[in-house]
Amino acid sequence: MESDRLAEERREEAAPATARDEQAAPMDGEYRARVFRGAARRLWHAPLDTTVADGLRELADWAETTPHAGQVPDVYGSGVVEELERRVAEELGFPAAVFFPTGTMAQQVALRCWAGRTGNPVVALHPLGHPEVHEDAAFGTVSGLRTVHPTEEPRLPTADEIRDVPEPFGALMVELPLREAGFVLPSWDELVETVEAARERDAVVHFDGARLWECTTHFGRTLPEIAGLADSVYVSFYKSLGGLSGAALVGPEELVEEARLWRHRYGGMLFQQYPVALSALRGLDTELPRLPAYIAQARIVAEALREAFAKEGVGWFRVHPEIPMTHQFQVWLPYEADALTAAGVALAEDTGTALFRRWFPAPAGGPPGVASTEVTVNAPGLEWTAEDVKEAVRGFLARVRA
């Protein structure tokens, strides 16, 4: 499921370059991508940090080290795609899984199938959830579903809020973590109580687990334990795991079989998908075991950022959550978004260090002159020390204030 922000980045990079003055260049997506791709030090490897040729070459090199190298490509979901489905079902402790080209399609199909079983097309979910923010009202427009919001607080709903929803709903959809609120998670006990409250109302529970892979550290539970709280779960392959794209829906065998039918009806039965399936398997083999290390490093980075902002006299700022719950978190600063984006590009171009990428102004109704960005820590960021982060902050702020 691709966010609007990443989609915008991709559209900008694909657009042909035009003449721009030096000041406008950092705002151009193609220019930014080229600068960050050339940076020697980065906190994370982003999708645009590679070229088409390099990305395909790296995937082929990995495949050569596996039994997949001699396999014939899949046809309509056979072969390596079936293997991926079996692997995901096993990782999450469910009897069956079905591959989808996008998470948007996977979740529409899941909630549509559940609505048919419960007889209720109403889905309770957070207003900051992906279907509400990034899918152009697809639930109602395409799938005939209607949504209600148990809470508008920037966190997951509580058990009492689920009990207090004033009308019946057939399904509760819980996004783990809640990305737009800062990649936040409830406590394990709070999650269990929320699920139980939904069951008290005879509702099924579906987890939007686009980033579920990175939740084990916070909850102190295994993936099957976390996923097992829900009746069905969607997971992404390109977010935490660094795959090319794609998603999977896990659940009871009957639900998964019906989902396959709806996948075809929605146009998701692609002729061949083996590069995407291979990249997902690579992510499960290489990235999934490293996520706890990424989370630990993200906490070091977040603390170093707070200390550096305070020492440099920024005044008001936020690193949210203060202690990251996953390997991603938000940073808020009291400057215009374009100025911060330009400073980040200048730092990477001048020093070869990419600290922050693109910044965004506060949402409508928010305070003016305040901007936020999302920070991810993955493999490249493991090499950073706290002092490296502080040094990069000094260089970044010097360019903001210039």
Side-chain angles (χ1 to χ4, degrees), residues 74-370:
D74 66 292
V75 176
Y76 291 123
S78 64
V80 69
V81 177
E82 292 176 320
E83 180 179 342
L84 176 61
E85 291 172 340
R86 289 192 295 270
R87 175 76 178 274
V88 172
E90 178 182 338
E91 291 282 356
L92 298 178
F94 273 78
V98 53
F99 178 87
F100 278 85
T102 73
T104 297
M105 185 186 296
Q107 300 210 108
Q108 282 201 55
V109 167
L111 274 300
R112 182 170 194 148
C113 290
W114 283 126
R117 284 163 166 72
T118 65
N120 188 332
V122 178
V123 180
L125 78 167
H126 199 285
L128 292 178
H130 197 283
E132 300 291 69
V133 178
H134 295 299
E135 296 179 19
D136 293 326
F139 266 17
T141 304
V142 179
S143 298
L145 304 171
R146 184 164 62 84
T147 61
V148 295
H149 303 150
T151 184
E152 293 187 356
E153 294 296 318
R155 53 159 173 75
L156 275 300
T158 66
D160 285 342
E161 288 166 340
I162 296 301
R163 296 187 182 100
D164 290 342
V165 175
E167 63 177 302
F169 54 90
L172 170 66
M173 182 175 179
V174 181
E175 184 176 324
L176 298 174
L178 186 57
R179 181 265 183 97
E180 294 295 331
F183 306 95
V184 296
L185 292 162
S187 71
W188 176 253
D189 289 343
E190 288 170 339
L191 180 60
V192 171
E193 290 167 4
T194 296
V195 169
E196 290 175 348
R199 304 242 192 266
E200 292 170 10
R201 302 197 57 169
D202 296 322
V204 299
V205 177
H206 171 79
F207 283 170
D208 176 342
R211 298 171 172 84
L212 189 77
W213 310 109
E214 62 202 60
C215 293
T216 56
T217 297
H218 173 79
F219 287 131
R221 298 293 193 282
T222 65
L223 283 170
E225 287 177 300
I226 300 168
L229 293 179
D231 297 286
S232 61
V233 179
Y234 139 72
V235 289
S236 172
F237 295 130
Y238 78 82
K239 293 186 170 71
S240 306
L241 301 183
L244 294 175
S245 62
L249 172 68
V250 299
E253 290 183 0
E254 298 82 2
L255 180 83
V256 168
E257 286 308 306
E258 184 183 359
R260 292 184 189 279
L261 175 64
W262 280 106
R263 179 184 65 180
H264 196 179
R265 290 169 173 166
Y266 274 66
M269 191 65 171
L270 305 184
F271 178 54
Q272 288 189 322
Q273 302 162 102
Y274 66 92
V276 170
L278 281 173
S279 72
L281 287 168
R282 179 181 61 176
L284 289 169
D285 283 351
T286 63
E287 289 300 293
L288 183 58
R290 304 183 77 180
L291 287 173
Y294 297 165
I295 295 167
Q297 182 70 356
R299 294 172 177 175
I300 293 172
V301 171
E303 176 63 23
L305 288 172
R306 281 197 303 275
E307 292 179 2
F309 291 144
K311 184 175 181 180
E312 295 299 316
V314 170
W316 184 91
F317 66 87
R318 290 290 184 274
V319 176
H320 176 69
E322 286 193 7
I323 301 175
M325 299 177 181
T326 71
H327 72 308
Q328 297 178 286
F329 56 92
Q330 294 177 341
V331 175
W332 291 76
L333 290 176
Y335 299 96
E336 296 293 338
D338 284 353
L340 294 170
T341 297
V345 173
L347 178 70
E349 193 168 34
D350 296 344
T351 71
T353 295
L355 177 63
F356 301 121
R357 305 289 181 110
R358 192 172 182 189
W359 291 76
F360 294 86
V370 174

